[in-house]
């Protein structure tokens, strides 16, 4: 190794960032507050009917869903009573509910670069203060409906939300999950995200076990790791890697999101019956993951239903 690389890597280590990826695949020494190593997260609970279908299928298959990522197509497509119904079902079933809201860059009539190949590389960050205010207004609508968890992918929005949370403009218990659309995929990036006050972090879907291991050494927040991902993101299905992912990166949420592309499966004008059938397939994949974890890594524990650290909706 050259002297230059050594100095760089030594400095990274001094800053709490592994100088190299974790090729030794060391056991994670961290866990959820209840001592568990892994939990199940299902994305794409688009409507109240989707939530109901997920709950029914989970009971049928004896699957524990710890967290649901809802309205990936945008909560602005749901009316207020539907948001309240989703919040109420999640609370009753002790499922942490993380809402994906509007306003979005793709909805901005002036965002001409986003549909282009090069413009798409610039990410989903919102353009201007007007759009940020619309985005936060949708978060406030969800808070009024009882939701206490939100997906974030714009660092500027996250800065404002953290300040609002600190000053009591939004409930102190509100949590933020940093999205894969933020584009972070390293220990350094994870450390930046953690320092911004997020409560969990979703790295890119194609990160290797050594990268996950290095991320875990750098941060304490849970990692939301894709076990199955839409074809447009690569279509990986890492079911047999799940035990190693949990071993080196605990605490982790196994994130389940199969399909063609997020643009296809989360179009808000898709039939509700489509979302219902798709979420049932997601629960089936969750059952497979549970079976493989029990078979190949019984020493790694999952949380029981409704662990105390989950932030549940607050509804009448």
């Amino acid at each position: 190794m050259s002297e230059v690389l050594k100095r760089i890597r030594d400095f990274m280590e001094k800053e709490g960032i592994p100088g190299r990826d974790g090729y030794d695949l060391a056991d994670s020494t961290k866990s959820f507050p209840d001592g568990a190593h892994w939990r199940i997260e299902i994305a794409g609970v688009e409507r109240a009917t989707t939530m109901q279908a997920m709950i029914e299928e989970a009971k049928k298959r004896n699957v524990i869903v710890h967290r649901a990522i809802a309205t990936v197509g945008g909560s602005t497509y749901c009316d207020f009573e539907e948001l309240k119904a989703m919040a109420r079902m999640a609370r009753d079933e002790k499922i942490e509910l993380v809402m994906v809201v509007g306003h979005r860059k793709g909805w901005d009539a002036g965002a001409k670069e986003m549909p282009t190949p090069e413009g798409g590389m610039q990410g989903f960050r919102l353009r201007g203060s007007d759009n940020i205010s619309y985005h936060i207004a949708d978060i406030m609508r969800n808070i009024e409906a009882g939701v206490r968890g939100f997906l974030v992918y714009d660092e500027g929005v996250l800065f404002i939300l953290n300040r609002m949370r600190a000053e009591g403009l939004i409930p102190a218990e509100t949590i933020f999950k940093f999205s894969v659309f933020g584009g972070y995929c390293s220990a350094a990036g994870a450390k930046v995200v953690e320092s911004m006050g997020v409560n969990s972090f979703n790295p890119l879907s194609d990160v290797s076990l050594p990268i996950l291991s290095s991320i875990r050494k750098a941060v304490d927040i849970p990692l939301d790791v894709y076990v199955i991902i839409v074809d447009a993101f690569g279509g990986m299905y890492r079911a047999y890697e799940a035990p190693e992912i949990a071993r080196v990166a605990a605490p982790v949420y196994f994130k389940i999101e199969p399909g063609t592309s997020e643009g296809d499966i989360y179009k808000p004008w898709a039939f509700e019956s489509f979302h219902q059938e798709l979420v049932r397939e997601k629960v089936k994949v969750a059952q497979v993951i549970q079976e493989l974890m029990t078979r190949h890594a019984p020493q790694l524990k999952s949380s029981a239903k409704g662990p105390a650290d989950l932030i549940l909706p607050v509804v009448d």
Side-chain angles (χ1 to χ4, degrees):
M1 181 173 58
S2 71
E3 184 60 30
V4 171
L5 275 177
K6 184 178 186 306
R7 289 203 305 271
I8 292 169
R9 289 171 175 172
D10 287 348
F11 184 82
M12 291 169 66
E13 294 281 352
K14 183 173 73 71
E15 296 298 316
I17 300 164
R20 299 209 65 190
D21 294 331
Y23 294 104
D24 58 340
L25 298 180
D27 290 353
S28 170
T29 60
K30 301 168 185 176
S31 64
F32 288 104
D34 61 358
H37 303 93
W38 59 277
R39 292 175 178 173
I40 293 291
E41 172 187 300
I42 291 183
V45 182
E46 295 302 283
R47 299 289 182 268
T49 53
T50 322
M51 175 74 77
Q52 185 63 47
M54 182 190 73
I55 291 168
E56 291 172 356
E57 192 71 14
K59 289 179 178 178
K60 171 185 169 183
R61 294 182 177 274
N62 198 28
V63 168
I64 297 174
V65 178
H66 301 95
R67 180 199 271 175
I69 311 303
T71 64
V72 177
S75 62
T76 315
Y77 287 104
C78 294
D79 63 56
F80 188 70
E81 289 304 314
E82 188 167 29
L83 296 176
K84 286 179 66 176
M86 295 174 74
R88 187 174 294 108
M89 282 188 278
R91 182 207 58 190
D92 291 347
E93 293 298 322
K94 295 183 170 57
I95 297 171
E96 190 170 84
L97 182 63
V98 175
M99 199 69 73
V100 188
V101 305
H103 188 76
R104 303 183 176 193
K105 191 175 186 180
W107 300 355
D108 176 0
K112 301 296 186 183
E113 292 186 355
M114 187 178 177
T116 70
E118 292 185 0
M121 295 174 65
Q122 297 169 7
F124 277 14
R125 293 168 185 84
L126 297 165
R127 294 182 347 120
S129 291
D130 286 356
N131 288 317
I132 288 175
S133 69
Y134 301 151
H135 185 84
I136 295 176
D138 208 37
I139 288 176
M140 299 295 282
R141 186 172 74 113
N142 277 276
I143 287 174
E144 186 180 349
V147 178
R148 292 295 184 269
F150 298 95
L151 189 80
V152 293
Y153 47 80
D154 183 310
E155 296 88 344
V157 170
L158 179 59
F159 171 80
I160 296 169
L161 290 173
N162 269 319
R163 296 291 297 171
M164 293 177 74
R165 181 169 60 177
E167 295 189 18
L169 294 174
I170 61 177
E173 70 270 18
T174 305
I175 59 169
F176 304 120
K177 163 187 162 76
F178 204 82
S179 170
V180 67
F181 285 104
Y184 290 99
C185 49
S186 69
K191 201 163 186 69
V192 168
V193 168
E194 185 179 54
S195 74
M196 292 190 295
V198 298
N199 301 93
S200 70
F201 162 57
N202 193 159
L204 292 187
S205 60
D206 61 358
V207 288
S208 64
L209 287 172
I211 292 174
L212 285 172
S213 180
S214 68
I215 291 173
R216 173 46 65 217
K217 291 175 184 176
V219 300
D220 295 326
I221 56 176
L223 304 182
D224 313 322
V225 182
Y226 285 105
V227 177
I228 186 168
I229 182 60
V230 295
D231 294 345
F233 274 11
M236 287 78 72
Y237 186 24
R238 306 178 73 174
Y240 274 97
E241 279 188 284
E244 284 292 273
I245 290 171
R247 183 180 67 80
V248 305
V252 297
Y253 282 95
F254 287 139
K255 185 174 176 66
I256 295 168
E257 197 165 19
T260 52
S261 75
E262 294 205 346
D264 284 342
I265 64 179
Y266 298 134
K267 286 178 178 176
W269 47 87
F271 292 113
E272 291 194 27
S273 58
F274 168 81
H275 292 303
Q276 289 171 282
E277 291 309 307
L278 180 58
V279 83
R280 293 183 190 279
E281 290 300 314
K282 293 174 182 179
V283 174
K284 180 180 179 180
V285 173
Q287 180 185 9
V288 172
I289 299 306
Q290 285 189 175
E291 289 176 357
L292 293 178
M293 289 298 297
T294 300
R295 180 183 295 267
H296 296 289
Q299 77 282 8
L300 299 175
K301 305 301 181 186
S302 182
S303 295
K305 184 181 179 70
D309 61 289
L310 293 184
I311 303 300
L312 301 179
V314 178
V315 291
D316 298 329

